[in-house]
Amino acid sequence: MLRNVLGKTFRFVGYTVQYGCIAHCAFEYLGGIVVCSGPSMEPTIQNSDIVFSENLSRHFYCIRKGDIVIVKSPNDPKSSICKRVIGLEGDKVCTSNPSDFLKSHSYVPKGHVWLEGDNLRNSTDSRCYGPVPYGLIRGRICFKIWPLNDFGFLRASPNGHRFLDD
């Protein structure tokens, strides 16, 4: 009887570890569901919207200008932020706020991206903390899951003029 109980216990532990590893790889490399909070991506993503984030793009360096990404916060590594990619390494970007009279520009350094929220007046982004290392990107948002009336692929940026090629 003891042998039978030990056998079942070890099988259970083995399956748990096996399926745990599969789940970890799926969430790390394929993608996952993310609940977005805050006003910085309005009107594209509202507070409490649920989106699907795929993670393969970051591993294959397929992130492009205009993509919305989930990034480890440069200010707080325990939290993640959702922002739009405005510039890739070598791109010239506007580093000033839209309301500034004099516009300042800079180049995105190698291995970094320039991120901004769609709600420029209410977003803490690269205009505050500078270019973000590419390694902090966790995934690229593909489509919105919730609310159901807004299900589907995300809209284009209302600030598209900020990342057009010169």
Side-chain angles (χ1 to χ4, degrees), residues 18-39:
Q18 183 179 9
Y19 291 121
C21 289
I22 291 170
H24 168 74
C25 289
F27 289 125
E28 179 66 24
Y29 295 101
L30 297 180
I33 295 171
V34 178
V35 178
C36 297
S37 63

Side-chain angles (χ1 to χ4, degrees), residues 7 12 22 39 41 46 53 66-67 70-71 83 90 94 107 109 151 161:
F12 175 76
I22 291 170
M41 286 303 293
Q46 304 289 328
S53 169
D67 287 347
I70 302 292
V71 180
K83 302 291 179 195
C94 179
Y107 288 94
F151 180 87
H161 64 281

